[in-house]
Amino acid sequence: MSITVWLVPAFPLAGSLLNMLFGRLIDRRAHWIAVPALAGSFLAACAVFARVWSGEIFTVTLGDWIVAGDFETSVTAHVDPLTGVMLLVVTGVGFLIHLYSVGYMHGDPGYARYFAYLNLFVFSMTMLVLAGNFLLLYVFWEAVGLCSYLLIGFWYTRDAAAAAGKKAFIVNRVGDFGFGLGVMWLWTAVGTLDYAAVFEAAETLEPATATGIALLLFMGACGKSAQLPLHTWLPDAMEGPTPVSALIHAATMVTAGVYMVARSHALFERSGVALEVVAWVGVATALFAATIGLVQTDIKRVLAYSTVSQLGYMFAAVGLGAYAAGIFHLVTHAFFKALLFLGAGSAIHGLGGEQDLRRMGGLAPRMVVTTITMVVGAAGLAGVPGLAGFFSKDEILASAFHEGHRLIWTLLLLGAFLTAFYTFRLFFLAFLGGPRMSKEVAHHVHESPAVMTLPLAMLALGTLVAGWALGVPSEHGTRFARFLAPVFPLDEAGHGGIATYMLQILSAVVAIAGIILAWLVYMSTPVRADAIGRPRNALHALLLNAYYVDRLYDRVLVRPLLALSVFLARRVDLGVIDGLVNLAGRAVVAWASGLRRVQTGYVVNYALTMLAGAVAIVGILLAR
């Protein structure tokens, strides 16, 4: 059965290689390779999950990888309940997004290249999840970053897309530098990188050492999962195709940081301080990004800042020690955020590429399926009672409250209110009210084809049932938490009791209040297009410009570093280093030119030189 584990990444790898090697021949039929490859990967993941569900936890070794002195490592897969859950999310949501892409990317000149990149990403992500040691994790951590760069800049002829791809790559390198140092320090401190040995040895680490290692690993997580202060790349990443935004920047890659911190919880718990840092960075990011999402006018950027905010909730949960709650929110977020991105993509497709909320409105009558599924996704994100987002977000809030972190609970509750407001602001502006686009565009608005609406319906179904199936709290924890009990200690803080139900009611009231406020602001009276996104005061301008963080980085980091690079290139490299090399060359040329004068070609001169040399030798001998 061990071969089944390797089939999960093998299918998308094969699909990627085939489309890369034979893309020009396959061309418009590339999806006939890519989509079945994901279907096969999902079925293999289901087989692996079935073994985990029956209680198995196992490690499978493909072969030796690096053997150098005292350092040995293998290509190893570690499979436990956390692995099983992540594999289902990556391959299941990935399959639906691949299917959706068949309609969305139809007619694109890079059709085969797109599916090759998408398959390559799923291969890298499944290997990241399966990795049984930190070195293999690091390799595929970088691989998903590479795939992100390729897919963000997929339309590389657009300057904005090319710049966004480079920005994502560079910002992630900042975080990954810390991650790499953390892995090296871990090997130095423990002498191994295998998960089982590392987590067993974590108790023997000095708290200061554990803190240093954990914070360096978390630095990588901040880059990959777009947490403060390395969050700036994710909103710009919306320049890529919308299915890419759904798969990489909502459902899978950006959650790799959460997965890594949860997987490494033994190291973070040994530190203690590191967990506090994780929690507070998550809270700050959740609130920071939610406030920016209130005023954005690009439909995908609203969802991008929402993703940053929801990732903050996940980090807050794992920082509080509520690991199962954080992973559960990761799973539910994959459903409703992928649904929202794909629904936004359907609206953009129906509008001929338009994604500005100021030029939308009134789409509901012409895009019924998209509208219904978007309502489900928006309600799930907002935390409407009964939907998946309500159960997972409430579990995080309950954990914060019962653990005594009342300030964190208050800030996250405020974030939940803002989330409900900006989510339904997006829905109201895009789908309800009067149309604000031109008459010509309005005339061509149409529902997306079935190959795009079917994934929407499946993700909406997941948003509707996941909470009831896995997240209902009880005295013994949620069903999801009990399933993950072999990996994480069962969190009893937010389970059962009258306090839990009161917190749920409060959470529901906050979500409904946010939706009502959005209705009052954007639906009670008609909203003019020119009034949307126009700064009314200094605070509004601050939020529209995302707190000017990009400008600050540009002035404090980018421009000084660029000026230093230009100085080093022109003055030091060309002026000093090249100058010294050229000086050495000129010296040799000058010396050779001097010697060339001795070579006159006259025999008499040569004879005289030989005589002078003989006289000099005789003189030296006589002097001795």
Side-chain angles (χ1 to χ4, degrees):
M1 283 293 289
S2 62
I3 191 172
T4 308
V5 175
W6 299 114
L7 285 176
V8 178
F11 277 117
L13 176 61
S16 177
L17 290 176
L18 286 173
N19 274 321
M20 283 183 183
L21 295 174
F22 306 107
R24 292 190 177 183
L25 296 175
I26 298 168
D27 197 22
R28 304 299 174 193
R29 297 182 295 276
H31 60 274
W32 286 111
I33 293 175
V35 177
L38 256 291
S41 182
F42 176 67
L43 292 175
C46 289
V48 172
F49 185 81
R51 294 182 63 184
V52 174
W53 183 266
S54 65
E56 289 189 59
I57 296 177
F58 55 95
T59 300
V60 181
T61 301
L62 184 63
D64 292 335
W65 180 19
I66 300 174
V67 179
D70 294 333
F71 181 75
E72 296 183 10
T73 188
S74 304
V75 179
T76 303
H78 177 72
V79 181
D80 59 14
L82 178 59
T83 308
V85 168
M86 291 297 295
L87 287 179
L88 286 184
V89 171
V90 173
T91 58
V93 175
F95 169 72
L96 293 176
I97 293 173
H98 274 67
L99 186 62
Y100 177 96
S101 297
V102 175
Y104 190 88
M105 298 299 292
H106 177 72
D108 192 283
Y111 194 72
R113 178 168 56 91
Y114 169 84
F115 278 106
Y117 290 167
L118 216 58
N119 270 186
L120 183 63
F121 166 77
V122 175
F123 160 71
S124 301
M125 190 67 197
T126 53
M127 283 300 297
L128 183 154
V129 170
L130 284 168
N133 60 70
F134 279 93
L135 185 60
L136 193 63
L137 171 70
Y138 179 73
V139 168
F140 286 99
W141 185 276
E142 295 293 343
V144 295
L146 171 64
C147 294
S148 176
Y149 164 75
L150 294 173
L151 286 163
I152 293 169
F154 177 76
W155 289 314
Y156 56 86
T157 54
R158 301 180 184 177
D159 291 339
K166 289 186 289 185
K167 183 176 182 179
F169 192 79
I170 293 169
V171 173
N172 271 272
R173 295 294 69 71
V174 175
D176 293 351
F177 176 73
F179 189 89
L181 290 178
V183 171
M184 288 186 279
W185 191 354
L186 184 62
W187 183 79
T188 303
V190 179
T192 181
L193 293 176
D194 288 339
Y195 285 162
V198 167
F199 300 149
E200 184 178 349
E203 290 297 324
T204 65
L205 289 175
E206 291 293 328
T209 301
T211 297
I213 294 171
L215 290 179
L216 285 171
L217 295 178
F218 181 58
M219 183 176 170
C222 284
K224 196 68 69 186
S225 297
Q227 297 296 283
L228 290 172
L230 301 178
H231 67 285
T232 56
W233 67 271
L234 185 60
D236 288 357
M238 298 303 107
E239 291 295 335
T242 300
V244 170
S245 302
L247 179 62
I248 295 184
H249 306 123
T252 53
M253 188 195 85
V254 291
T255 61
V258 181
Y259 166 78
M260 185 273 295
V261 173
R263 172 65 75 191
S264 310
H265 68 275
L267 291 170
F268 284 82
E269 287 173 353
R270 179 60 178 166
S271 164
V273 174
L275 277 180
E276 286 288 325
V277 172
V278 171
W280 280 105
V281 168
V283 171
T285 304
L287 206 56
F288 174 87
T291 56
I292 298 173
L294 296 173
V295 298
Q296 298 301 305
T297 57
D298 185 302
I299 189 171
K300 288 177 65 177
R301 288 183 81 86
V302 175
L303 296 175
Y305 280 110
S306 171
T307 298
V308 175
S309 179
Q310 296 306 304
L311 289 166
Y313 274 87
M314 298 174 207
F315 277 109
V318 297
L320 293 169
Y323 307 111
I327 298 299
F328 184 44
H329 196 54
L330 183 157
V331 173
T332 61
H333 180 264
F335 285 125
F336 57 69
K337 187 54 66 66
L339 171 58
L340 286 169
F341 265 112
L342 296 185
S346 180
I348 294 168
H349 183 269
L351 289 167
E354 181 59 66
Q355 55 190 64
D356 192 328
L357 289 168
R358 291 171 292 189
R359 290 188 284 274
M360 292 188 179
L363 300 181
R366 304 237 184 135
M367 306 186 73
V368 177
V369 176
T370 300
T371 303
I372 294 172
T373 54
M374 280 292 284
V375 169
V376 174
L381 174 58
V384 171
L387 278 80
F390 169 76
F391 290 98
S392 59
K393 193 179 296 183
D394 183 72
E395 193 73 10
I396 297 172
L397 292 170
S399 296
F401 184 87
H402 288 294
E403 289 291 344
H405 296 275
R406 300 300 165 81
L407 179 57
I408 289 179
W409 173 77
T410 303
L411 294 175
L412 291 179
L413 195 64
L414 174 60
F417 172 77
L418 298 177
T419 301
F421 178 84
Y422 69 65
T423 303
F424 274 86
R425 168 185 177 270
L426 179 152
F427 176 75
F428 293 149
L429 288 177
F431 291 90
L432 302 184
R436 293 181 298 278
M437 71 288 291
S438 67
K439 291 184 178 179
E440 182 180 355
V441 173
H443 179 70
H444 291 93
V445 172
H446 59 280
E447 182 61 275
S448 299
V451 74
M452 294 172 65
T453 55
L454 178 60
L456 294 179
M458 295 301 294
L459 290 168
L461 180 63
T463 303
L464 288 169
V465 303
W468 291 108
L470 302 172
V472 177
S474 70
E475 294 180 358
H476 305 291
T478 63
R479 181 178 296 178
F480 189 79
R482 295 196 300 272
F483 175 69
L484 293 181
V487 184
F488 306 125
L490 195 60
D491 177 27
E492 300 287 349
H495 302 148
I498 188 66
T500 297
Y501 295 111
M502 293 301 295
L503 289 173
Q504 285 184 329
I505 292 171
L506 179 59
S507 178
V509 169
V510 165
I512 293 170
I515 296 171
I516 292 173
L517 181 60
W519 175 273
L520 293 175
V521 173
Y522 294 100
M523 292 301 298
S524 60
T525 57
V527 179
R528 299 196 318 273
D530 59 356
I532 303 170
R534 186 178 64 187
R536 300 180 181 86
N537 49 53
L539 177 60
H540 195 182
L542 183 69
L543 298 180
L544 274 172
N545 290 280
Y547 293 94
Y548 299 101
V549 173
D550 275 301
R551 295 189 190 182
L552 177 65
Y553 285 175
D554 184 61
R555 292 186 180 182
V556 175
L557 296 174
V558 177
R559 291 185 188 180
L561 286 175
L562 179 61
L564 177 62
S565 300
V566 171
F567 171 78
L568 292 175
R570 294 179 180 175
R571 303 298 181 185
V572 178
D573 190 22
L574 295 177
V576 177
I577 298 175
D578 278 10
L580 289 173
V581 174
N582 293 335
L583 179 62
R586 285 194 292 268
V588 171
V589 170
W591 178 66
S593 298
L595 288 179
R596 207 165 47 237
R597 298 181 181 226
V598 179
Q599 305 296 324
T600 62
Y602 293 108
V603 176
V604 175
N605 290 346
Y606 296 157
L608 181 62
T609 303
M610 292 172 64
L611 177 61
V615 170
I617 293 172
V618 171
I620 293 172
L621 294 175
L622 291 176
R624 297 174 63 184

